[in-house]
Amino acid sequence: MNYFPDEVLEHVFDFLTSHRDRNAVSLVCSLWYRVERFSRQRVFIGNCYAISPEKLITRFPGLKSLTLKGKPHFADFNLVPYDWGGYVQPWIEALAKSRIGLEELRLKRMVVSDDSLELLSRSFANFKTLVLVSCEGFTTDGLAAIAANCRFLRELDLQENEIDDHSGHWLSCFPDSCTSLTSLNFACLKGEINLASLERLVARSPNLRSLRLNRAVPLETLQKILMRAPLLVDLGTGSYVHDPDSETYNKLKTTILKCKSIRNLSGFLEVAPRCLPAIFPICLNLTSLNLSYAAGIHGSELIKLIRHCAKLQRLWILDCIGDKGLEVVASTCNELQELRVFPSDPFGVGHDAVTENGLVAISIGCPKLHSLLYFCQQMTNAALITVARNCPNFIRFRLCILDPTRPDPVTMKPLDDGFGAIVQSCKLLRRLSLSGLLTDQVFLYIGMYAEQLEMLSVAFAGDSDKGMLYVLNGCKKLRKLEIRDCPFGNMALLSDVGKYETMRSLWMSSCEVTLWGCKTLAKVMPRLNVEIINEHDQMEICAEDGQRVEKMYLYRTLVGPRKDAPEFVWNL
Amino acid sequence: MERCMALGKELNLEATELRLGLPGIKESEKQPSSTIKSNKRSFPNMDEKSCGSKDSFKASQAQKCNQEIASPAKAQVVGWPPVRSYRKNCFQAKTMEGAEAASGYVKVSLDGAPYLRKIDLKVYKGYPELLKALEDMFKFSVGEYSESEGYNNGSEFVPTYEDKDGDWMLVGDVPWDMFISSCKRLRIMKGSEARGLGCAV
């Protein structure tokens, strides 16, 4: 390959789109490293503290698209205090100062301020795509800056962010000259929207293919928007409430018939079930349906809707669908690949949620299923064994029993054998979340069989350090391990310290690890950041080494301890 | 597990253990429970070095053990079930709407009016009182209610309400108590939309 000019190498590398492939290629030799780095346009950084913006810019001067993830995954569940970190500001500042022509920015679990958004909007003339998932720290004023200043904006996609909504005006900030929008998702905004501005924006965006509205957009406006955008592929309704005998509703029915391209449907944040028949004609074309925020659709209305959706590949619903409803899904949606069943009452105590029966039915009717997130009342080993046999193609398997240490209710045994069957049968499994009563045995199975496992989430499981050791020793491809409330301690933590440099991160909270264990690890592994989160002054500065650590988060890094850690985060 | 039990004996945890039954009676079988406590924890093997102060460490472990034995059946655990806060907040808002309605106050809107009003349903004893109050408040009339035809004095106004399921219902169909417990908000519909929802025209 040394005989090829650089341009040829570069052309070959153009065909490599996955960042893992490009990372691998850059390790071959210094020539390849050089050619690869100058031609790389998309970079994925799974932990924003693993590298610095300056190093990123130096290595990849041609950067156009950046994806960054900030807080640890358990931050989603309130286990990480508010100002832990994950700020995007230093990244935007550094990129703005450089000559990088950033076009796309995708952030997950990061803190984004209005100032950051303002700076972003002013610094990159060709900025096209902004995707924010599970972020916080900004208001609609920041969105106004993006709307006003990004002249060629194509995508503004806000998913499940906590945004301070100052209402109304940001949509009006898109100038009349902005006609490039292809994707607009503001479903997570809680405030009012200027409906006239929205209609005008849609009217002048001929390339709009994805539109997800918030609760403030009524059905009348939806109808008018769909008239202007019959080529939509992805639609999220806002408030879907009206009198089914009204003229408006009849107009909607006619309009929807023209929307033959819709493949993804979501929303129904407020819904009048008697208005659902209007969407039946497009249900047959749907490949993706997200009703996980549609608490107003349940029982027979929900089932009637599902029966129209024979081509579904992805379905997100609430557990009020019940086992019976899942049987309908199983008989109707034979192409299903991804299923998520969320709890409709996250604090609930035994209402009609789903059980193992629903999952078994799904496994029989949907053999192509490869991704599952399933919140349920209970699970049995027998059911898991059946599911493992029926669906050997699982890539992601996340089971969450609402009572986290519940055994098999039929045999009263732990669920070790059930999960063991899953990992043994599903040879491509990359992500696994466990729950229920579990002993060290389940970890033995995981270490033995889960060869492709990259991410494991464990809670209230195991008996001893052996559990964690089985996993660390067995899962060669493990990248992310997050553990809470398990009896794993220093012995497991320190048994193979080199392992952590092959992983992105390890989270352990409410386990048996002590300050001594963490300090020892930090001393031996300088390229790990070992952070202790010390809330509520649990530990004094002169804490005794024997004291248990409540929350530890460690990750590999090339740039040493971070400088933006708050007082309660100690880097050892 | 053995060390835990040995430690337990040392600190006489048995004496303070909460259980059903008379004191002095030994439970022969440990019932498997669905509680949150991790009753299978064992202490890690530790060096002298790692223990720092053995006494304080043992004490904190024992305290935890004690707490676990006494923990309530369904304590709410932080971060469980693992649902994103955004989603939890959405559903909490929904249940709070319901709670507000349970307090009696609901919003009332009249189609075409510039602003909404709020009334306390609990103040009224039945439909006639409620309807009279609405008529006075908004200066309109609904006429007589009949099961088969709804409101039929030829008025263009029809009182409707949103129930817990999000459906829009005609006021008057269900018993009063059922109505006030399921009514989330009131809307006085006007004109063509009122047709079909119980206005004989």
Side-chain angles (χ1 to χ4, degrees):
Chain A
M1 283 291 255
N2 284 354
Y3 310 122
F4 290 140
D6 289 359
E7 294 80 28
V8 175
L9 266 183
E10 195 179 304
H11 183 66
V12 172
F13 293 168
D14 271 350
F15 291 96
L16 298 173
T17 46
S18 118
H19 63 269
R20 289 193 200 184
D21 287 343
R22 296 210 72 145
N23 292 348
V25 140
S26 66
L27 292 174
V28 168
C29 63
S30 53
L31 170 66
W32 282 35
Y33 178 89
R34 185 166 47 80
V35 172
E36 196 283 319
R37 73 175 255 257
F38 281 109
S39 62
R40 175 109 67 139
Q41 294 187 337
R42 323 181 81 85
V43 176
F44 169 85
I45 296 178
N47 175 5
C48 64
Y49 291 118
I51 191 76
S52 71
E54 290 75 25
K55 283 193 150 74
L56 169 74
I57 293 166
T58 308
R59 182 170 168 190
F60 299 116
L63 178 68
K64 287 199 169 21
S65 162
L66 177 62
T67 303
L68 280 172
K69 293 189 180 181
K71 301 189 201 180
H73 177 229
F74 277 177
D76 276 348
F77 317 132
N78 290 338
L79 288 178
V80 174
Y82 171 64
D83 37 358
W84 173 88
Y87 306 103
V88 77
Q89 179 71 5
W91 292 86
I92 299 185
E93 274 175 9
L95 287 163
K97 271 195 222 129
S98 75
R99 298 226 230 122
I100 300 269
L102 193 69
E103 293 182 12
E104 299 179 0
L105 186 61
R106 294 177 171 81
L107 305 178
K108 187 168 186 180
R109 274 191 292 273
M110 293 200 73
V111 178
V112 181
S113 65
D114 284 344
D115 286 342
S116 301
L117 291 176
E118 168 95 32
L119 182 60
L120 177 68
S121 73
R122 291 194 186 284
S123 307
F124 308 104
N126 232 5
F127 193 73
K128 295 195 171 74
T129 298
L130 181 62
V131 179
L132 302 177
V133 179
S134 222
C135 295
E136 57 174 1
F138 60 106
T139 77
T140 43
D141 294 346
L143 298 179
I146 296 287
N149 302 327
C150 300
R151 295 196 305 150
F152 303 111
L153 193 69
R154 290 203 198 145
E155 286 181 52
L156 179 58
D157 186 355
L158 308 169
Q159 298 175 30
E160 300 196 337
N161 303 289
E162 299 284 0
I163 306 174
D164 214 348
D165 197 328
H166 297 164
S167 280
H169 303 301
W170 68 276
L171 253 186
S172 319
C173 292
F174 282 104
D176 290 339
S177 54
C178 175
T179 58
S180 47
L181 273 182
T182 61
S183 168
L184 179 62
N185 172 7
F186 58 92
C188 64
L189 284 179
K190 302 274 198 275
E192 295 305 311
I193 283 288
N194 187 322
L195 299 175
S197 287
L198 176 61
E199 289 175 41
R200 284 197 301 271
L201 181 61
V202 173
R204 65 177 186 276
S205 304
N207 298 320
L208 195 66
R209 293 293 172 268
S210 169
L211 180 63
R212 297 191 190 179
L213 310 168
N214 78 342
R215 192 188 275 255
V217 181
L219 195 134
E220 295 91 345
T221 308
L222 174 66
Q223 186 271 325
K224 292 187 201 156
I225 286 175
L226 290 178
M227 285 279 284
R228 304 284 204 170
L231 298 178
L232 272 183
V233 172
D234 177 349
L235 173 66
T237 70
S239 166
Y240 193 79
V241 176
H242 220 278
D243 176 1
D245 296 311
S246 67
E247 200 186 315
T248 306
Y249 179 71
N250 281 317
K251 273 200 260 182
L252 179 70
K253 279 205 286 198
T254 325
T255 307
I256 286 191
L257 285 174
K258 301 201 187 87
C259 300
K260 297 187 197 299
S261 308
I262 296 182
R263 297 286 173 273
N264 294 5
L265 188 59
S266 61
F268 302 99
L269 311 171
E270 278 176 4
V271 54
R274 286 177 63 211
C275 293
L276 287 175
I279 62 167
F280 289 165
I282 54 169
C283 283
L284 185 56
N285 297 328
L286 290 181
T287 54
S288 166
L289 179 61
N290 180 356
L291 297 177
S292 67
Y293 286 99
I297 312 178
H298 40 235
S300 57
E301 304 287 359
L302 178 55
I303 290 182
K304 211 178 353 169
L305 175 59
I306 300 272
R307 283 201 202 278
H308 284 85
C309 305
K311 294 214 191 108
L312 275 189
Q313 294 171 14
R314 184 194 310 155
L315 176 63
W316 292 18
I317 34 167
L318 292 170
D319 62 2
C320 54
I321 193 174
D323 285 340
K324 288 278 171 258
L326 287 177
E327 283 168 31
V328 175
V329 173
S331 66
T332 310
C333 310
N334 304 118
E335 300 296 312
L336 200 66
Q337 297 174 18
E338 176 183 333
L339 175 66
R340 295 196 190 187
V341 182
F342 291 95
S344 47
D345 183 5
F347 307 102
V349 269
H351 60 298
D352 56 341
V354 294
T355 72
E356 73 274 15
N357 295 322
L359 187 59
V360 169
I362 292 281
S363 75
I364 296 170
C366 312
K368 295 188 184 176
L369 197 66
H370 60 57
S371 292
L372 180 74
L373 172 62
Y374 197 74
F375 285 83
C376 58
Q377 283 285 78
Q378 62 185 45
M379 186 52 58
T380 64
N381 282 311
L384 284 174
I385 291 168
T386 305
V387 169
R389 192 177 51 235
N390 293 337
C391 294
N393 301 318
F394 274 117
I395 301 175
R396 300 171 197 94
F397 190 88
R398 295 193 277 165
L399 190 72
C400 178
I401 303 174
L402 291 170
D403 181 348
T405 56
R406 191 161 182 193
D408 179 330
V410 171
T411 63
M412 297 315 271
K413 289 213 164 78
L415 293 177
D416 301 332
D417 289 343
F419 281 106
I422 294 284
V423 293
Q424 195 175 358
S425 164
C426 305
K427 308 211 186 304
L428 300 174
L429 194 69
R430 296 206 302 253
R431 182 170 181 184
L432 179 64
S433 295
L434 308 171
S435 63
L437 186 65
L438 295 162
T439 72
D440 284 346
Q441 185 70 10
V442 72
F443 300 109
L444 175 66
Y445 290 139
I446 292 173
M448 221 171 10
Y449 295 114
E451 289 176 12
Q452 302 301 318
L453 194 67
E454 295 179 7
M455 181 169 178
L456 179 64
S457 306
V458 184
F460 303 100
D463 310 309
S464 74
D465 283 324
K466 281 200 267 178
M468 187 166 162
L469 284 174
Y470 290 140
V471 172
L472 291 175
N473 292 336
C475 300
K476 299 296 177 210
K477 298 209 175 168
L478 194 65
R479 291 188 304 115
K480 288 181 280 185
L481 180 57
E482 44 187 28
I483 303 172
R484 62 165 294 182
D485 293 89
C486 297
F488 306 142
N490 296 334
M491 207 263 281
L493 181 69
L494 297 173
S495 64
D496 181 3
V497 295
K499 174 87 176 169
Y500 305 125
E501 274 194 5
T502 70
M503 292 167 54
R504 184 188 298 173
S505 64
L506 167 67
W507 168 283
M508 292 180 77
S509 60
S510 303
C511 296
E512 303 293 340
V513 168
T514 70
L515 191 54
W516 174 83
C518 297
K519 281 185 180 173
T520 306
L521 179 56
K523 214 180 336 185
V524 169
M525 301 294 293
R527 285 197 299 197
L528 296 181
N529 276 356
V530 181
E531 296 183 5
I532 310 284
I533 295 174
N534 179 26
E535 290 172 289
H536 320 305
D537 297 318
Q538 281 154 0
M539 280 184 172
E540 309 286 303
I541 309 281
C542 51
E544 286 159 355
D545 283 1
Q547 204 171 344
R548 263 177 7 117
V549 157
E550 194 49 41
K551 293 177 183 172
M552 177 202 73
Y553 179 58
L554 67 83
Y555 51 90
R556 68 181 176 189
T557 178
L558 292 177
V559 290
R562 56 187 175 110
K563 299 185 181 51
D564 62 1
E567 250 182 43
F568 55 81
V569 172
W570 298 354
N571 197 295
L572 300 179
Chain B
M1 195 58 184
E2 299 74 39
R3 274 188 77 173
C4 183
M5 300 215 343
L7 183 63
K9 282 204 166 54
E10 206 175 282
L11 295 169
N12 199 13
L13 288 175
E14 227 181 274
T16 57
E17 190 180 309
L18 293 183
R19 60 207 179 133
L20 300 174
L22 298 170
I25 298 173
K26 263 197 157 37
E27 278 181 54
S28 51
E29 221 179 77
K30 198 126 207 222
Q31 298 282 339
S33 68
S34 62
T35 60
I36 310 276
K37 64 182 172 168
S38 328
N39 54 358
K40 281 196 172 183
R41 287 194 184 195
S42 64
F43 294 106
N45 290 325
M46 299 223 308
D47 297 341
E48 279 297 312
K49 248 193 302 189
S50 65
C51 239
S53 163
K54 254 194 168 157
D55 292 328
S56 68
F57 180 77
K58 272 197 209 162
S60 74
Q61 288 297 348
Q63 192 187 34
K64 198 156 207 294
C65 219
N66 214 356
Q67 275 170 7
E68 284 166 9
I69 292 165
S71 67
K74 282 228 161 146
Q76 249 183 43
V77 183
V78 173
W80 197 271
V83 170
R84 265 193 194 155
S85 347
Y86 172 83
R87 176 176 287 278
K88 269 194 174 145
N89 293 339
C90 278
F91 285 93
Q92 206 156 40
K94 286 201 165 80
T95 53
M96 272 176 28
E97 265 171 34
E100 247 172 47
S103 77
Y105 273 95
V106 298
K107 292 184 189 171
V108 190
S109 62
L110 175 82
D111 284 358
Y115 52 80
L116 280 62
R117 305 293 302 267
K118 246 189 173 173
I119 58 169
D120 183 358
L121 291 178
K122 295 218 154 63
V123 158
Y124 307 103
K125 296 194 183 52
Y127 288 118
E129 269 190 42
L130 170 67
L131 291 170
K132 178 90 178 36
L134 290 175
E135 285 176 327
D136 287 339
M137 191 182 263
F138 289 106
K139 313 280 181 283
F140 71 100
S141 73
V142 285
E144 289 274 309
Y145 168 82
S146 82
E147 211 179 280
S148 52
E149 293 183 336
Y151 293 88
N152 68 346
N153 76 336
S155 158
E156 44 177 333
F157 291 102
V158 179
T160 67
Y161 69 98
E162 186 186 10
D163 73 357
K164 276 197 195 125
D165 295 330
D167 293 327
W168 287 94
M169 318 286 291
L170 183 68
V171 168
D173 283 337
V174 302
W176 175 251
D177 290 314
M178 193 188 290
F179 166 71
I180 52 174
S181 68
S182 61
C183 170
K184 275 171 48 192
R185 59 183 295 174
L186 284 161
R187 176 183 167 196
I188 302 175
M189 276 192 195
K190 186 182 144 162
S192 56
E193 287 179 282
R195 237 171 268 139
L197 200 64
C199 183
V201 179

